[in-house]
Amino acid sequence: MRFPAAAAWRTLLRPGDVLVVIGGLALCVHAVAVLWQGGRPEAAIVRAGGKVVAELDLSAPRVLDVPGPLGTTRIEIQPGRARVAADPGPRQYCVRQGWLTQAGAVAICAPNEVSLSLSGRGADYDSLNY
């Protein structure tokens, strides 16, 4: 089955069709810009063994060492962002996540039972906090 050339397709389009396509694209771009950006984080919440160990403001730099079953996990805070700088876990997934910069972002060091999450007013929702 052969499809008509592009010139033949253009003859089938009406001005209203073009307006619908442009409107749909504009709606998609607007949705991406508005809905898929996390809010600015206000605090870092550090948990160990399922309990909140510290709630840290993100306005000043600081380093926090959190003990866990495997050893010490090091949390680093910089203005507006936080990360797990070091962890004794074997695969280093939480360290590889790098800097967390949006409200709702989470780094979980499961083997050491330590987690870091950023809280704020515009937090994104995912399967962890749904």
Side-chain angles (χ1 to χ4, degrees):
M1 176 190 229
R2 274 192 80 148
F3 291 99
W9 278 102
R10 276 187 252 147
T11 61
L12 297 174
L13 291 176
R14 306 246 190 263
D17 296 336
V18 174
L19 290 176
V20 168
V21 169
I22 291 172
L25 288 174
L27 181 65
C28 289
V29 168
H30 177 71
V32 166
V34 172
L35 300 177
W36 275 329
Q37 60 179 342
R40 185 181 173 110
E42 297 170 358
I45 301 170
V46 181
R47 292 182 174 84
K51 296 180 181 174
V52 175
V53 173
E55 189 167 338
L56 308 169
D57 187 31
L58 293 177
S59 61
R62 97 183 260 185
V63 174
L64 176 70
D65 290 329
V66 182
L70 299 180
T72 302
T73 297
R74 177 166 288 201
I75 308 290
E76 185 178 349
I77 306 292
Q78 292 291 326
R81 62 188 189 162
R83 72 174 178 160
V84 177
D87 182 68
R91 292 186 178 85
Q92 301 288 304
Y93 290 137
C94 57
V95 176
R96 290 181 191 173
Q97 276 193 272
W99 290 103
L100 305 179
T101 58
Q102 295 183 346
V106 179
I108 300 172
C109 305
N112 205 28
E113 299 177 9
V114 175
S115 69
L116 167 67
S117 62
L118 300 185
S119 65
R121 284 185 275 144
D124 286 341
Y125 290 97
D126 60 14
S127 60
L128 293 176
N129 58 15
Y130 175 64

